[in-house]
Amino acid sequence: MLTSQVAQKFQEIFASNGALLVRSPGRVNLIGEHTDYNNGFVLPAAVDKAIYLAIARRPDDEIQLFAMDLGQSYRGPIRPPLTPSALHWPNYILGIVEQLQGMGFTIGGFNCVFAGDIPLGAGMSSSAALENAVIFALNLIFGLGLDPMTMVRLSQKAENEFVGLQCGIMDMFASMFGRKDQVIRLDCRSLEYTYFPFKAPGLRILLLDTQVEHSLASSEYNVRRQQCEAGVKLVQRHHPEVKSLRDVTLEMLSAHVAPVDELIWRRCSFVVEENARVLSGTEDLLRGDLAAFGEKMYASHDGLSQKYEVSCAESDWLVGQVRGVEGVIGARQMGGGFGGCTINLVEEELIDGLVTRLAPLYREVMKRDLKWYIGRIEDGTSAV
Ligand code: GLA
């Protein structure tokens, strides 16, 4: 439905109906948080919430954009150097254009209208979805011949360099490579990936949205990255072969980091443990041992909360409330942190009862409304 609304708006604004339509989804991540930028493992999937975009070339060198959900437009020249917009959202698009220009592509102007139903600030990667939608669309309308992994890397670089968040590759990868009813284990060092059917009859992915504005997210996120790098440097003094936390063991951290800097030790040991949880968690899924997988989700949350310190009172509370509740297999905070959603594996018929119980309590204790979504696993970025 959003596709036709976007197409119609495009027609209204630009008096043309020859636009390419693209759908690019948000993502969930079952386990493996803050591991991507440490060359580790993640286990995400694309979901049924997405950005929908209509786009067409212009005969001149202008970029004209319209964000339907915000009712805002942007207009500017495509000539480099591109300058960030104070509206913020155009930067996800301009960042992609800048990357393409940096690769030596000369692309012309374009018109673009987009809308989406990925909840903003919920840690479901609406920004990666938008970046992927744009690179995917520009690749087609200008015939650039880019392969999907190159597009993923460009989306990530756009976010790193133009938007300024030093994010890893997970969100863009999951959004681009998603497949219906499958989760993907990505090795963020080699970029090898494996699809695993997410077969859990009667189970659903329930996302509980803390509704916490994660304003700390980008600055603290970048700090966590630096802390991981600091840990790697300490280990490298004794193990020069080590390149990232992927190569580091808990023993190395105890020997070389814990005595020097307790905080850095805590951060790094979370990452090393989280990587191990992704690997053994996928084994659990293959064996159909969901209970064991769920325990790892709780352990992941504990690490995010106590060692990596990227949770918040609201997500700790939500995970605490569902822990031990019959029919809830596992739960943890998802995404970059400091708010966003918790991801919960819950028996379908218990969901209504659970949210009906939690919502008023959440309002009472946290003074916020609780929102929730069911995450259905869908295909990645594609033309519609
Ligand atoms: C954000 C980033 C990802 C990843 C997660 C944490 O979503 O964009 O690259 O680091 O946080 O796992």
Side-chain angles (χ1 to χ4, degrees), residues 18-22 55-58 107-111 134-144:
L20 169 73
L21 298 172
V22 168
I55 192 165
R57 293 168 75 142
R58 289 177 59 90
I107 59 169
F110 58 90
N111 295 325
V134 172
I135 185 90
F136 187 91
L138 293 178
N139 186 45
L140 285 181
I141 63 172
F142 290 104
L144 306 179

Side-chain angles (χ1 to χ4, degrees), residues 27 29 32-37 125 165 167-171 221 335-336:
R27 62 104 189 89
N29 184 25
E33 222 62 88
H34 293 274
T35 44
D36 61 352
Y37 54 84
S125 302
L165 180 74
C167 66
I169 200 166
M170 168 170 71
D171 305 344
Y221 183 95

